[in-house]
Amino acid sequence: GRCIYRHYRDDGFNDAGWGCGYRSLQTILSWSGYAHALASSHVPSVREIQDVLVRLGDKPSAFAGSNAWIGGAFEISLVIDALCSASTRIIHAASGRDIPAHMSALLEHFERFGAPGMIGGSTDVYSKTLLGVALDPADARQSWLLIADPHLVGTVSPAERRRVLADGWLAWQPLGGLSVASFYNFALPRPAEPA
């Protein structure tokens, strides 16, 4: 399916420095597989996501309208469940070194569901959108993740789209580039079938 790459300030809202989790979630929710679940295919704004988390009791009322970041797989799963009635599988890797052991499960997710996911870590605190995987069956350590990095700041005109690729904001990343000092959580939405 298709999705819309969301990143800092892409809609004019200034979330640079704290909005990467929201932007990853917006990219996930923009995926065409959720069109049946979202009212009018509306992808919620940062404030609307905050309101959902407050309504669910995950965050205090002061959270709505703040510059507080999200990024945990748990928060992503709460919002996806609330807005799309879809469960989310969370895969935990104790270190970037352990991700090769999970590559078959990540590949199975994309083959079965196709939905984008989210990856975030501890010392690697930046939330990113996972769009696909390339598994090396002979050696999973040589596999790759297709990442949409929401840390690009500003709007991107159609003429500038090549810059997004050239600058690595949307790129295949080798597993060797992940920190061995960081744990990682993957949030992998499992969309419900349309009624």
Side-chain angles (χ1 to χ4, degrees):
R2 298 177 63 149
C3 63
I4 299 168
Y5 169 51
R6 301 298 307 268
H7 53 84
Y8 289 159
R9 292 191 199 159
D10 72 347
D11 56 3
F13 180 73
N14 186 5
D15 59 334
W18 58 271
C20 58
Y22 298 97
R23 298 310 184 157
S24 288
L25 178 57
Q26 288 176 324
T27 299
I28 292 167
L29 291 171
S30 76
W31 178 63
S32 59
Y34 287 130
H36 69 278
L38 294 173
S40 303
S41 299
H42 169 74
V43 174
S45 67
V46 169
R47 174 58 189 258
E48 289 168 330
I49 292 168
Q50 290 175 334
D51 289 341
V52 168
L53 289 167
V54 169
R55 188 178 75 246
L56 294 173
D58 182 64
K59 302 290 182 198
S61 60
F63 179 76
S66 73
N67 291 356
W69 57 271
I70 63 168
F74 179 70
E75 293 160 317
I76 301 293
S77 68
L78 287 175
V79 175
I80 290 171
D81 182 48
L83 297 180
C84 302
S85 299
S87 64
T88 301
R89 178 178 182 190
I90 297 175
I91 295 177
H92 175 76
S95 162
R97 181 176 331 149
D98 298 331
I99 292 176
H102 299 288
M103 287 302 294
S104 292
L106 294 173
L107 178 62
E108 186 268 337
H109 166 78
F110 285 103
E111 289 176 341
R112 183 169 174 202
F113 300 103
M118 189 275 299
I119 177 175
S122 55
T123 58
D124 180 358
V125 297
Y126 303 109
S127 184
K128 301 169 202 75
T129 309
L130 180 64
L131 298 175
V133 298
L135 175 63
D136 182 333
D139 184 357
R141 294 172 297 173
Q142 302 303 315
S143 298
W144 296 70
L145 304 175
L146 181 56
I147 299 291
D149 187 340
H151 298 90
L152 170 65
V153 178
T155 57
V156 177
S157 71
E160 296 175 302
R161 288 185 182 151
R162 289 180 191 253
R163 178 176 62 92
V164 171
L165 296 172
D167 292 349
W169 297 106
L170 177 62
W172 285 101
Q173 309 252 332
L175 295 188
L178 297 171
S179 173
V180 297
S182 181
F183 72 74
Y184 288 92
N185 287 321
F186 293 86
L188 304 172
R190 297 174 163 215
E193 293 297 320

